Structures are given as structure tokens and as C-alpha cells.
Amino acid sequence: MRRFGLAIAGLAAALALTACGGGGAGAPTSAAPTTGESSAPAGDTLVGVAMPTQTSERWIADGNAVKEGLEAAGYKVDLQYANDDIPTQTQQVDAMITAGAKVLIIAAIDGTALTSQLQAAADAGIKVIAYDRLIRDSGNVDFYVTFDNYAVGVAQATALLAGMGVTDRDGAKQGTPEKGQNIELFAGSLDDNNAHLFWKGAIDTLQPYFDDGTLVVKSGQTTIEQAATLRWLQETAQKRMEDLLTSTYGGTGEGLKGVLSPYDGLSRGIITALQGVGMGPTITKGLPIVTGQDAEIASVKLIKDDIQSSTIFKDTRNLATQAVTATQAFLSGGTPEANDTETYDNGVKVVPSYLLPVVTVYADNIQKELIDTGYWTAEEVESGVAS
Ligand code: GAL
């Protein structure tokens, strides 16, 4: 709960900036109406928030932070989770439109599956904000708040290279790395636009080391389709890792040095498979370098314990704040400020976006990045469980 309290504090600061015309990140580019009436929203203005799943703690934190931020700004909120089921999410969005929502904030399960809902939203004059994941194939996406997703992939590959001693943490090559080091590659869900950006950032970063023979994907599974993990499921990643260990690494993992993983849930499945054939149990004792994303508490503990090498921290409190700020901009008749108007072509239009930066977390900066910032407490990191 402390995290969400801080999110509200951050939001209040952002709103204060906006109110003073400070032009803070994501502040509206055109001012709120000044016709004498307050720009504060009527208490009955409804905002619909559609989140993908509660099986990952990040989406629970996102949903709570967005809801609390919107409520603090005076809106009514309909927050729904869809159990990673596409028809459930489309029905939820339909219901929000029917209920009279004025803005929809949507983290899509399948980025291509909401076209008819968004047409109905546009017809009803509802603004649509894509949250974290781009919604594709629709001209009716008004704004996108997210992190720099290509940079996430670069950071994951850099953390893999650094963990293996090929580069330093800034990506600078270290001496003459040994040739023929075996790694395996995992990707996210192909229907999530982010998965493609994470992959591209990572592969662009690893490519020179494939080209000069430093790295080898021994299984030969080098396409995103081969590496993909439908719905980002931990057990699917565990099963694929087990199969790779059997088919390619003699059932023992011998010679496997690193695994590119784009999300902490997958990382934990991969690590379970690696430890299951007797590797490790720690990196110091020979566990391959495994990357991650989201700073989920179970993975932060594994990083502290020398089991998972790294994660990419995306401060979802800031993302929630951006979503709320963008909502306010739309509902006061303005347009949210974008800081990227080129990257996110959804197949129909380039969606104006606000991108937030990301941070790589290793064991030695957990304190600074996650505990000192109030994202997790020291006790949570110690136990690996969110309180
Ligand atoms: C992505 C998101 C990641 C991770 C993943 C699995 O879209 O950007 O941070 O959460 O989904 O949930």
C-alpha cells in the first residue's frame, strides 16, 4: 500500500506542476478551459481502466495506481482485469462504453483484438489511451503511455553480456571474449507489440557477438516465433527450457552460459528448469546468467540471492501518473504532451506517445533503485513476498 501512497504523492506533484503551467512531463499542451468554471472534473465522470491479468503483480500495481490516481483527481473509475482472456477484455471494454466512460485506459491482451470496440468508442466521442502495450490496427487510439520498449531489449541484452563478462554494464567490450559461448533466447507473447520491440532491442545488441562467434544459440532457435511464449506464461517458458536442456544440452545444461529472458515470470520458469537439472543453484556455482523485466518481488529476491542476474525496472507508479495526466488533458479539452511522435506506428497511424526511461537492476543496486525509492521495502526483498 505504501507504494500506491507514493504514487499518489507523485501524481499530486505532477498535477501541481500542470496547474501552475509548469509544463511537466505529459502536461497538456493546451490549457484547461478558463471560462470561469473549474477545470476539475465532475465527480460523475467515468474513466474505464482495462488491465490484462492479475496473475502478474505488476498489473495489479498498475491497476491500483491508475485507479487511485484517477480517484484522487476526482473521477469515477471502472477497473477491470480480464484473466488474459481476449473475449473477456472485449466485453469489459464494451461494458465501459455502454456505461458512459469518457476515457478508456487499456493495457491490451492482444494488441490487435479491439478494433471494433475502439470504433464504438470513437463514435461515442470517447478518448482511448493505450497503456504500456500499443493497440494495433486502429485509427482510434488517441495516446500511448509506455516505457522505452526498444531500450528495454537493449538493456536486457546488455545485462546478459555483462553478466557473462563479454562487456561491462555499459556495453563496452571487455578484452577478447572467449568464442563459442552458448546462450538461448526467449521472447514474449507475439500478440503483444512490446514483445517485438524487446526482441529487436536485444537482438540488435547481441548481433555483433553472434557475427564474431562469441555467442552461439546452440539450439538454432533464433527466430522470435521459435522463442515466443504465448501469454507470457511462466510454465510455458519452463517447459521450453526443459525441452532445450534435453534436446541440446545433454539433459544437464552443460555448456549453457546465458539465457535472454524478457520478463521475470519467464525468468523464474527458466531458472526452475535449470536448477531442475542440477545447475547452480547460484550464479557463483555455475547457474547461467538469466535476465528479466518488471522487478517482480520474487525475482528481486532471486537477484539478491545470486540466482537471477538482473531485471529491468519500470516504475509503474510513473506510468500510472502519465495515464492520469493524459486523461486530465483530454477531459479538459486539451491534448496530452507526447515526447515521441515517430516510433509507435500501429499499422494505421503513428500514435503520439509518452515514453518513460528504464533502469537495470542487479544485486548491488536493489537498495538504491527499489528500496530507497519506496518501490519495495527491505522486508519484502528479504522475504520475496509483497506485503
Ligand atoms: C509486457 C510488459 C512487460 C511485462 C509483460 C508480461 O507487455 O511491457 O513489462 O509485464 O508484458 O506481463
Side-chain angles (χ1 to χ4, degrees), residues 53 56 58-59 132-133 149 192 194-195 198 232 262-263 293-294 314:
T53 178
S56 158
R58 79 147 283 187
W59 297 116
D132 193 77
R133 299 171 172 175
N149 292 302
D192 179 347
N194 286 352
F198 302 152
W232 301 91
Y263 159 58
Q293 173 173 206
D294 282 353
K314 307 197 301 193

Side-chain angles (χ1 to χ4, degrees), residues 123-299:
D123 293 346
I126 300 167
K127 295 292 185 189
V128 173
I129 300 170
Y131 186 91
D132 193 77
R133 299 171 172 175
L134 184 62
I135 302 174
R136 297 193 55 85
D137 302 343
S138 169
N140 301 313
V141 185
D142 298 291
F143 200 66
Y144 181 32
V145 292
T146 191
F147 294 87
D148 186 337
N149 292 302
Y150 181 86
V152 170
V154 172
Q156 289 170 334
T158 305
L160 180 66
L161 291 165
M164 293 172 67
V166 174
T167 67
D168 67 14
R169 288 181 181 180
D170 295 325
K173 198 166 174 182
Q174 295 296 285
T176 312
E178 191 190 320
K179 302 282 178 202
Q181 301 191 53
N182 295 322
I183 65 169
E184 294 296 335
L185 308 173
F186 282 70
S189 197
L190 293 179
D191 52 8
D192 179 347
N193 192 62
N194 286 352
H196 299 268
L197 288 157
F198 302 152
W199 178 264
K200 179 148 178 37
I203 298 300
D204 286 353
T205 307
L206 297 176
Q207 194 62 49
Y209 299 97
F210 292 135
D211 292 344
D212 74 5
T214 303
L215 301 182
V216 175
V217 180
K218 195 175 176 193
S219 67
Q221 298 188 15
T222 56
T223 67
I224 189 171
E225 289 77 15
Q226 289 170 314
T229 315
L230 183 64
R231 297 281 112 74
W232 301 91
L233 285 175
Q234 174 168 343
E235 47 275 30
T236 305
Q238 180 177 336
K239 172 78 170 58
R240 176 163 177 263
M241 191 71 245
E242 287 166 355
D243 291 347
L244 288 170
L245 288 165
T246 306
S247 64
T248 310
Y249 295 93
T252 63
E254 197 181 341
L256 177 61
K257 295 283 171 43
V259 183
L260 176 78
S261 168
Y263 159 58
D264 286 343
L266 306 190
S267 313
R268 294 194 297 276
I270 291 162
I271 288 168
T272 301
L274 298 173
Q275 291 180 331
V277 296
M279 300 189 88
T282 59
I283 297 171
T284 307
K285 295 208 165 131
L287 195 68
I289 300 301
V290 180
T291 61
Q293 173 173 206
D294 282 353
E296 292 199 335
I297 192 60
S299 285

Side-chain angles (χ1 to χ4, degrees), residues 97-98 100-102 117-127:
I97 295 170
T98 307
K102 297 286 182 268
Q117 279 67 34
L118 297 202
Q119 187 58 52
D123 293 346
I126 300 167
K127 295 292 185 189

